[in-house]
Amino acid sequence: MKNIQIKEPAAAEIPAPRGEGARAAWILAMGTFAVGTDAFIVSAFLPRMAEGLSVTEAMAGQSVSAFALAYALLAPVIATATSTVARRKLLVWSLALLGAFNLASALCTSLSALILTRIAAAAAAAAYTPNAGAVAAALAHPARRARALSVVIGGLTVATALGVPLGHVVSAVMDWRASLALVGIISLAAAAAVFAVMPAMPGGARIGLRQRLSVLKRPGVMRILPLTVLGMAACYAPYAFTIRILETLRIPAASLTVMLFVYGLGAFAGNYASGRATDRRGPVPVLACAYGAMAIALGGLAGLAAAGEGPGFYFAAALIACWGASSWAQTPAQQHRLIAAAPQEAPLVIALNASGIYLGISAGTGIGSLAVGQGVPALLGTGSALALASLGYIAMTGAARRKAAASGAPGPG
């Protein structure tokens, strides 16, 4: 098959001064913190939101699925439509719109209106995150690329560590609408910070949607992306129902925020460790460890929930932290694999991986909405089974890669 070469955005061709790549990554992470807080905060007040809108928790969970699915489907389209827009302008406007749509979500009085504003917010998020990752990867030294990506993705994990618990506190003290308004304010502040600090950067060449998606014809890319969807579905099948899980485990109400923070702290640590380990050991061993740990953590929580007795606080916290760490250890390794499989199309494969992440979140939340009706043990068991399926997938593709290498054919990446 003929390799299709697509020119990367002009921004990626600008040589960065020493240390500029690391500085840019941390600035861009401020924006991904806003995006991550928006994407994941609903889990912190889902029961209250369902009550406020007079719907069931499973129905309210559709707002999570709608956000994630809209992101997954719109990301390639938005990337195509904005390919020539100057990078700083695109990043600033996407964050500003994210803030405006979250303020609109806070004013909604029906589930249908909320879902519409969540879809609009997802479109703004889809314009920001892939471009932030692509710029960070382009500015980083190749030997530190995974670490630069982990810093930008780290904004999402810090959102789980700080933004989600903060949203839970605000929703408890005030209400869930105040939490969404807070996300809007954070997004607008991030837009101002990116505008003030990031240098002006030109856009790239115009790339049609068909040409953009042609990278999917590469065998390596097509074998890597399904794992992103499957792995994210595994960890997010139970995530939207975290509060119910914690209540089933008989975690005291006063400690719910602490447990949300523990999950986020694990996510942050897992993401950072994954970036360093991927640079040193390669992505496949990192992913195998992540899926094995996820299956154990979710399976352990399922067993505790089925036992009907509250576990020790520290034991439950350890499993929650492992759940968070294994969930977010996936992304730097997967992005690294995709960039290695299609180095000339790095911005494109990062955007497609972002679509895969949110498609997995949407699918996982949908599966979780079905499983939660069977009880929390079934919900957690479903996540554990999906993690084992992810582990099986990477073992299967690894065997195919070794077989292809032995025969001299292109491997799956």
Side-chain angles (χ1 to χ4, degrees), residues 56-357:
T56 65
E57 282 189 49
M59 291 177 65
Q62 293 175 8
S63 65
V64 179
S65 296
F67 182 100
L69 184 60
Y71 186 112
L73 297 179
L74 292 175
V77 177
I78 291 173
T80 299
T82 61
S83 61
T84 61
V85 178
R87 298 298 93 179
R88 185 177 70 174
K89 179 180 179 180
L90 177 60
L91 295 174
V92 170
W93 271 104
S94 59
L95 287 173
L97 289 173
L98 182 68
F101 290 133
N102 269 279
L103 293 174
S105 293
L107 299 175
C108 290
T109 57
S110 68
L111 181 61
S112 58
L114 178 68
I115 287 177
L116 288 176
T117 58
R118 298 302 290 159
I119 290 173
Y128 179 82
T129 307
N131 284 291
V135 170
L139 292 177
H141 188 279
R144 296 179 176 86
R145 181 176 292 155
R147 271 171 277 188
L149 290 169
S150 72
V151 168
V152 176
I153 297 300
L156 301 178
T157 60
V158 171
T160 65
L162 298 179
V164 173
L166 179 61
H168 181 261
V169 171
V170 172
S171 67
V173 174
M174 301 176 69
D175 62 15
W176 62 272
R177 298 180 189 280
S179 295
L180 287 173
L182 175 64
V183 175
I185 294 170
I186 292 173
S187 300
L188 295 174
V194 172
F195 177 78
V197 179
M198 288 293 291
M201 303 175 73
R206 184 176 297 279
I207 302 172
L209 183 60
R210 178 175 295 182
Q211 187 179 13
R212 183 174 294 274
L213 296 179
S214 65
V215 71
L216 293 174
K217 296 180 181 179
R218 293 199 172 195
V221 172
M222 278 305 297
R223 287 180 173 88
I224 294 170
L225 279 175
L227 183 62
T228 296
V229 178
L230 183 58
M232 295 306 292
C235 58
Y236 276 89
Y239 183 77
F241 307 95
T242 301
I243 297 299
R244 181 185 285 198
I245 291 170
L246 295 176
E247 290 173 346
T248 302
L249 294 173
R250 300 186 180 180
I251 301 300
S255 299
L256 294 180
T257 301
V258 175
M259 281 298 189
L260 291 172
F261 176 75
V262 166
Y263 175 95
L265 194 62
F268 181 81
N271 175 75
Y272 180 76
S274 174
R276 294 184 64 86
T278 297
D279 282 334
R280 294 181 178 182
R281 303 292 184 183
V284 173
V286 171
L287 289 167
C289 289
Y291 296 129
M294 189 190 305
I296 292 171
L298 293 177
L301 289 170
L304 293 173
E309 296 183 1
F313 180 86
Y314 293 105
F315 183 47
L319 291 176
I320 294 291
C322 185
W323 175 16
S326 59
S327 298
W328 285 97
Q330 302 177 69
T331 304
Q334 278 291 91
Q335 287 187 337
H336 193 278
R337 293 176 77 202
L338 285 165
I339 291 173
Q344 297 301 317
E345 293 90 9
L348 307 187
V349 293
I350 288 177
L352 290 172
N353 192 59
S355 291
I357 288 172

